[in-house]
Amino acid sequence: MQCSSLSVFALHPLYLRVEAISANIPEDIKQEIREARVQLDKKDVDYEACMATKLSIAKKIFAREKETILNSKSFQEFFSENQEWLKPYAAFCFLRNFFETSERSQWGRFSEFSKEKLEKLLSKESLHYEVVSFYYYIQFHLHLQLSEAAEYARKKGVVLKGDLPIGVDRNSVDTWVYPNLFRMNTSTGAPPDYFDKNGQNWGFPTYNWEEMSKDNYGWWRARLTQMGKYFTAYRIDHILGFFRIWELPEHAMTGLCGKFRPSIPISQEELESEGLWDFNRLTHPYIGQDLLQSGF
């Protein structure tokens, strides 16, 4: 689950251990796995080639055992517990590959999410069911493998810490399904500072906290619950963003023309009522040129 991930709920297929997804892998596929390991196990990782190879091998195994796995009790339980995010994720993956872009404005009638359209696309009677069910299959095995690793770590007294990025990719499953939870005409970043005079523009839409509050932050609670299946602790990236964020207009290229959101102005009268009165000392450098010269 990463900052530019396709989904905040799904696990990345790059981490799949293909030789562990079945106990009945035929010898020719085992040999393909061994050859791929020799070819790809280098100092510099070719992530695209690694991903393509793993998915290609997984599809061959899936073709052999799809009926057995998809009808198994363990898969049915996994699907039932995760279908709220799993079904849109599988549909998104299919549509991204079908239209050859994750920019959903190019998806025609699927550009706007609809549960009715989703159910038709994912129906077992659909021509595309085998393709979308492959994405279920991959997530199922990723879940099993990470759960096994997490349990092993716990037994050995090792705590796994997951990463919780503040941003969500603009072209992700989450913004497709829940566009109302994000301010899609904005971008997240950082103001100009010592490190970058132009500030930073990270490209992620900011959160619509007012809308999120209407269901008691259900999306966030679901996200944390999902991470809690595997991790004992979290690293919250840019935790300050939960309280105020540097918000930019969508068209901005740099971080210059932003503002903090939320930002509530404080009047001079409010400050004085709290006992603050020497505004010159609070708003101007206290250590001036005279002090520096006399001291040094």
Side-chain angles (χ1 to χ4, degrees), residues 88-101:
Y89 167 79
F92 190 99
C93 290
F94 169 77
L95 292 167
R96 173 201 59 191
N97 294 344
F98 183 83
F99 289 102
E100 299 182 331
T101 178

Side-chain angles (χ1 to χ4, degrees), residues 22-26 30 64-65:
S22 175
N24 302 303
I25 300 176
K30 287 182 179 179
R64 294 174 58 87
E65 62 176 33

